[in-house]
Amino acid sequence: MQSLEAELAEARSLAVDELADAIETIGFECTRCGACCKSEADDPHTATVFPDEVRRLQGAGDADGPTADTEESDAEGARDWRDVARPMPYGLTDGPDGPEGETFEWALQTDACGDCVFYEEDDDGVGACGVHADRPLICETYPFSVALGGTSQPMGEAVDEEGVVRAHECEGLGRDIDRADAESLAAALKERAVRELEEAIGVRDSYEPRTVDAGTVVVHDSEGAKDADGRPLDAAGRDDER
């Protein structure tokens, strides 16, 4: 098994035109069905979002638009961290006051139905992203991923594969795609693979086990340990408050 550093070097060497060739061969056109934005069989939507993507989404689009249940904001006109992201649920347990424990990375926030909080649907059932221009890389590149260790496979195992490009369940697969669109998608796919590996290395290098009090959550990302609200635990006074 290669080290994360070796996988990162391989990701950085990926040829965008070859990725675009693979995407063209598989074929794809978004049908705006919204399946990739919604929960599945009572399993809430889970899409990994990087810390800097969370901060970008805090001020993206209409900050008074789709949000989670909290109405707090970090600054005037900005969403609260918890309106954008939640701790990745894997590794957490259900305590008397809600989830508790240690976990790694952030997932996009969900609404009461388990769908992405930024997902919108018109009266005809056509889906749209409320922050499309600022959507995370994992959303921009779905239903594709790169078959390298340390990169994620969104929405389960691959249903098709061409070279290092994996395709995941989506009704838009197999449709013709314009070359320019394939190249744009390929460039984003390479960027995402690089970012995921850089994030994995950052998490590994910054990780320090924490004693987690009952009823609290600690999230480890590439920037260090954080509260569930995104605030660093090692910021002045934070650890003393716990």
Side-chain angles (χ1 to χ4, degrees):
M1 183 175 180
Q2 289 196 107
S3 68
L4 289 174
E5 285 79 7
E7 298 283 3
L8 176 58
E10 188 170 346
R12 287 172 172 163
S13 70
L14 290 170
V16 171
D17 58 339
E18 292 180 5
L19 297 178
D21 289 343
I23 291 170
E24 273 193 306
T25 299
I26 296 171
F28 171 67
E29 180 185 17
C30 179
T31 65
R32 295 181 64 184
C33 67
C36 59
C37 304
K38 297 187 286 190
S39 62
E40 285 190 340
D42 299 323
D43 185 18
H45 177 267
T46 304
T48 305
V49 58
F50 302 127
D52 64 306
E53 292 179 322
V54 177
R55 287 188 285 269
R56 186 173 73 245
L57 285 167
Q58 284 183 277
D62 179 6
D64 295 323
T67 62
D69 293 334
T70 176
E71 295 298 329
E72 298 178 24
S73 61
D74 290 327
E76 186 176 354
R79 296 178 181 89
D80 183 79
W81 183 281
R82 292 167 293 181
D83 288 329
V84 175
R86 73 188 197 282
M88 193 64 75
Y90 310 122
L92 300 181
T93 58
D94 291 326
D97 299 318
E100 58 185 35
E102 282 186 293
T103 189
F104 296 89
E105 304 293 2
W106 302 91
L108 283 173
Q109 186 57 271
T110 54
D111 61 19
C113 297
D115 300 342
C116 176
V117 74
F118 296 112
Y119 177 67
E120 302 170 346
E121 200 168 90
D122 64 21
D123 294 337
D124 296 323
V126 177
C129 175
V131 289
H132 187 266
D134 294 286
R135 67 196 186 283
L137 281 166
I138 198 167
C139 302
E140 184 179 355
T141 55
Y142 191 82
F144 298 103
S145 65
V146 172
L148 293 175
T151 60
S152 68
Q153 294 196 67
M155 306 283 281
E157 296 297 319
V159 297
D160 200 354
E161 207 161 333
E162 184 70 27
V164 297
V165 175
R166 301 176 294 208
H168 303 268
E169 188 66 40
C170 178
E171 70 173 33
L173 290 173
R175 298 168 181 256
D176 291 339
I177 182 170
D178 179 85
R179 180 65 187 187
D181 291 337
E183 290 176 350
S184 177
L185 183 51
L189 190 58
K190 175 179 178 177
E191 181 185 359
R192 181 182 134 211
V194 170
R195 288 293 312 279
E196 285 179 342
L197 284 157
E198 289 175 338
E199 182 72 12
I201 291 170
V203 171
R204 181 200 64 193
D205 292 347
S206 65
Y207 175 69
E208 293 181 7
R210 298 281 179 148
T211 300
V212 183
D213 297 332
T216 63
V217 172
V218 172
V219 181
H220 298 276
D221 62 29
S222 60
E223 298 173 350
K226 294 175 181 171
D227 277 341
D229 60 9
R231 289 183 290 179
L233 288 182
D234 295 329
R238 293 295 294 162
D239 278 334
D240 293 339
E241 295 173 9
R242 294 181 58 79

